[in-house]
């Protein structure tokens, strides 16, 4: 029989995971509602790439809502007025200018107090033609000196509007007549039939006021270079080149011509373009030597 030896109690092998305390999730104790709240807060501070543009648009919309509609209206009106003044000034300076007719020298073509627009592109860059109705400055003293006007409280307003072209020039220091002779032309009144001739060709002048028979004023002139011979359509009531033979020969300097009258703009019942009657002058030959 084998001898029996006493055995000591051996320690049992311990589960290595049994004694290791489990690490608790720090978020485990946070209620789900709080986690959701934190997540929402994080999204609201996600950065300018998400919330910035939306905020700016909202601020702009709010600012627009807060603007006073009256000031917006005033701004729009002021813009329109400024644009109109600038355009009017440019047109008046380079294209067209308004004048009013103070006399009866061009009846029936033009009546007293007609408002006309003058084409400033004539005589340069576009050349004058026989029959053109032109407005020119009175540099030869044809007009009686105008009485000095007393300035009123709103004179500066009228002067300003005239300067920018919104009102016609009523300074009365301009004249309007029809061009009959160009530089080099030989103009004579009258032939055996009582007609005006240019370079020997008689003119059947359709534009003359038919209400009166024109009085004959004899003259025989050759138009110098740089000048023109002008006459009014209302021959018996026009102090034109015929009446100023003693002053510069009755000629008008081309340099004094403001432009060619293009249209009647006022009154409304007289709005029309102005004709230079090319058929009247079609048979006029070129001046001698040209």
């Amino acid at each position: 029989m084998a001898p029996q030896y006493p055995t000591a109690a051996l320690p049992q092998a311990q589960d290595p995971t049994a004694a290791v305390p489990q690490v608790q999730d720090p978020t485990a104790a946070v209620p789900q509602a709080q986690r959701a709240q934190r997540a929402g807060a994080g999204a609201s501070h996600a950065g300018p790439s998400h919330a910035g543009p939306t905020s700016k648009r909202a601020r702009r919309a709010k600012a627009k809502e807060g603007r006073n509609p009256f000031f917006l209206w005033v701004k729009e009106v002021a813009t329109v007025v400024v644009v109109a003044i600038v355009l009017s000034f440019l047109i008046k300076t380079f294209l067209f200018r308004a004048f009013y007719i103070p006399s009866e020298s061009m009846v029936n073509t033009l009546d007293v107090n007609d408002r006309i627009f003058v084409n400033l592109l004539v005589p340069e860059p576009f050349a004058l033609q026989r029959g053109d109705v032109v407005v020119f400055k009175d540099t030869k003293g044809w007009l009686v000196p105008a009485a000095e006007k007393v300035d009123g409280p709103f004179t500066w307003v009228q002067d300003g509007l005239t300067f920018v072209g919104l009102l016609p020039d009523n300074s009365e220091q301009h004249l309007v007549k029809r061009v009959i002779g160009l530089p080099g032309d030989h103009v004579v009144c009258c032939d055996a039939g009582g007609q005006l001739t240019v370079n020997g060709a008689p003119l059947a002048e359709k534009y003359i006021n038919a209400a009166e028979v024109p009085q004959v004023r004899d003259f025989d002139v050759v138009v110098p270079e740089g000048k023109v011979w002008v006459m009014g359509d209302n021959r018996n009531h026009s102090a034109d080149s015929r009446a100023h033979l003693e002053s510069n020969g009755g000629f008008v300097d081309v340099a004094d011509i403001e432009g060619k009258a293009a249209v009647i703009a006022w009154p409304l019942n007289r709005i029309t373009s102005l004709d230079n009657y090319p058929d009247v002058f079609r048979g006029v030959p070129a001046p001698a030597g040209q």
Side-chain angles (χ1 to χ4, degrees), residues 203-274:
L203 303 181
E205 299 180 282
K206 301 177 182 179
Y207 40 77
I208 291 178
N209 181 14
E212 299 179 9
V213 178
Q215 298 174 358
V216 175
R217 297 185 186 179
D218 294 332
F219 59 86
D220 186 335
V221 298
V222 175
V223 184
E225 188 66 28
K227 302 181 185 298
V228 293
W229 179 269
V230 297
M231 299 174 71
D233 291 354
N234 196 10
R235 293 289 162 84
N236 295 341
H237 305 274
S238 176
D240 47 41
S241 290
R242 300 167 299 164
H244 300 282
L245 292 171
E246 74 288 349
S247 173
N248 196 39
F251 305 111
V252 173
D253 294 340
V254 173
D256 289 338
I257 296 176
E258 296 278 9
K260 170 187 173 182
V263 297
I264 300 173
W266 186 266
L268 296 178
N269 63 344
R270 286 183 50 77
I271 292 178
T272 186
S273 59
L274 294 174

Side-chain angles (χ1 to χ4, degrees), residues 131 178-180 187-190 194-198 201-210 214 219 229 231-233 235 242 277 279-281:
R178 191 178 297 276
V179 174
I180 302 299
V187 187
V188 177
C189 182
C190 289
Q195 289 181 300
L196 190 70
T197 67
V198 178
L203 303 181
E205 299 180 282
K206 301 177 182 179
Y207 40 77
I208 291 178
N209 181 14
F219 59 86
W229 179 269
M231 299 174 71
D233 291 354
R235 293 289 162 84
R242 300 167 299 164
Y277 295 89
D279 55 322
V280 172
F281 299 90

Side-chain angles (χ1 to χ4, degrees), residues 14 32 54 69 88 97 144 160 170 172 189 206 214 217 224 227 251 273:
Q14 192 173 10
Q32 184 175 0
T54 304
S88 179
R97 186 175 174 187
V144 177
N170 60 356
E172 301 182 10
C189 182
K206 301 177 182 179
R217 297 185 186 179
K227 302 181 185 298
F251 305 111
S273 59

